[in-house]
Amino acid sequence: MEIKNRFLVFLIFVFFVSCKGKNFETTNELLDFVNNEENNLSYSKSINGVKFTLTYKPTDLLVKQELMDSKDVLKIKEFRSKYNKHIYFNLSMSYNNRELLTSIVSNKKQFAQMINDLSFGASEKIHLFSKAKDTLSMSDFNYPRMYDTSKSTTILIVYPRDVEFIEQDYLNLTIDDLGFDTGEVRFKIDMKAIRNEPTLNLQKQN
C-alpha cells in the first residue's frame, strides 16, 4: 500500500511539473525556446516565395521591456497582471530574406495600398477563430515601418485572453491574400503551449 501511495504522489508531481511552463534565467534562453518550432510557439511556412512566421510573444518579454533594469517584486506583479490580459503574436513576412514590401511591390500605387492595409487594416486581413468558427476580435495591432532596415515586415497583433478561447485545444489564424498571390495563409495554434507559456526569472535579470 505504501509503495502504491508513493507511486501516486510521484504521478501527481509529474503531472503538475509537466503542466507548468519552463522558467528561464535569461531573455536569450527564452527567445531560443520560443523560436524553436518544436515547442509549438512559433510557426512558419513559405508560399510563392513569401515566408510567413507567426510567433507567440510570452507575457514576461513584455514585462521585461517595462521593467528595464528594475527587479522590484511589486512592479513585476503589476506588469504581469497588466500584460496577462492579452495574448500577443509577432507576424513576420519576408521575401528573399528582406522586407516584404520593398522586395515585391513594383509600383507606387500598390505600395501605398499595402502600407494602408498593414497600417490600418490588419484587423480586417488577419482572423483568429476556434474549431467551431467562433471568432476572437483583435484588440490592437502595431506595424512599425522599418524602411528596408529589417529582414522582414513584422506586425504585432494582440487579442484578449478570453478563457473560452484559451482553453481550446487549438485556434486557427488566417491571413488574407495581401496581394502577393499567396492565397489565404493558415496557422493552427497549439493553445496548450500558450497556457503553459515560458517565463523569465525577472528578479535575476541583468
Side-chain angles (χ1 to χ4, degrees), residues 10-89:
F10 173 74
L11 287 179
I12 293 172
F13 172 76
V14 170
F15 173 78
F16 280 107
V17 168
S18 64
C19 291
K20 185 179 180 182
K22 292 180 177 292
N23 182 262
F24 294 93
E25 297 294 319
T26 70
T27 301
N28 285 339
E29 288 175 342
L30 175 59
L31 288 172
D32 285 344
F33 180 84
V34 169
N35 291 326
N36 183 340
E37 293 189 17
E38 292 183 1
N39 296 317
N40 294 332
L41 291 168
S42 184
Y43 309 84
S44 65
K45 57 179 61 178
S46 294
I47 302 173
N48 240 5
V50 180
K51 183 177 181 180
F52 295 83
T53 303
L54 180 71
T55 305
Y56 179 68
K57 191 165 187 175
T59 300
D60 276 2
L61 287 180
L62 294 153
V63 174
K64 172 66 175 162
Q65 291 175 347
E66 286 267 23
L67 286 171
M68 299 181 71
D69 294 326
S70 174
K71 299 176 184 177
D72 184 87
V73 175
L74 292 178
K75 285 187 176 181
I76 292 172
K77 184 177 180 180
E78 175 190 345
F79 292 139
R80 275 179 171 162
S81 177
K82 171 184 175 181
Y83 287 108
N84 199 44
K85 292 180 174 64
H86 294 85
I87 54 176
Y88 302 80
F89 297 93

Side-chain angles (χ1 to χ4, degrees), residues 118-133:
L118 294 173
S119 300
F120 305 105
S123 60
E124 298 173 6
K125 300 288 184 180
I126 303 169
H127 315 280
L128 186 65
F129 55 92
S130 68
K131 182 180 179 181
K133 305 293 185 182

